[in-house]
Amino acid sequence: IALFTVLSVTGLPLKFFEATASQWVVDALGGVDRARWFHRAAGIAFAILILVLLVRPEGLLGRSTVEKV
């Protein structure tokens, strides 16, 4: 949830940069370059998290659909 929030807070102001609230958020993050860096870092972390959840033995792809007898 935290990574999704970071992606939303950094991505929406970059997409809708002409809005006053977007300019405030970008300024609070330290400028457009730093906001882009935060957005990219959160995106990479989110992708790694999804891969870990899909690949680990208890994850979605690691569960066996056939019960062992």
Side-chain angles (χ1 to χ4, degrees):
I1 295 174
L3 286 174
F4 180 78
T5 302
V6 171
L7 285 168
S8 298
V9 168
T10 57
L12 288 172
L14 294 174
K15 174 73 174 167
F16 303 107
F17 58 90
E18 67 277 351
T20 305
S22 297
Q23 294 170 5
W24 181 85
V25 171
V26 169
D27 288 340
L29 290 172
V32 71
D33 290 331
R34 188 167 290 185
R36 286 179 182 157
W37 187 88
F38 281 134
H39 189 73
R40 290 179 184 139
I44 290 169
F46 191 76
I48 290 170
L49 177 66
I50 294 299
L51 288 173
V52 167
L53 289 174
L54 291 175
V55 173
R56 70 181 184 159
E58 308 85 29
L60 296 173
L61 297 179
R63 291 186 182 156
S64 176
T65 57
V66 179
E67 232 179 84
K68 294 181 181 178
V69 180

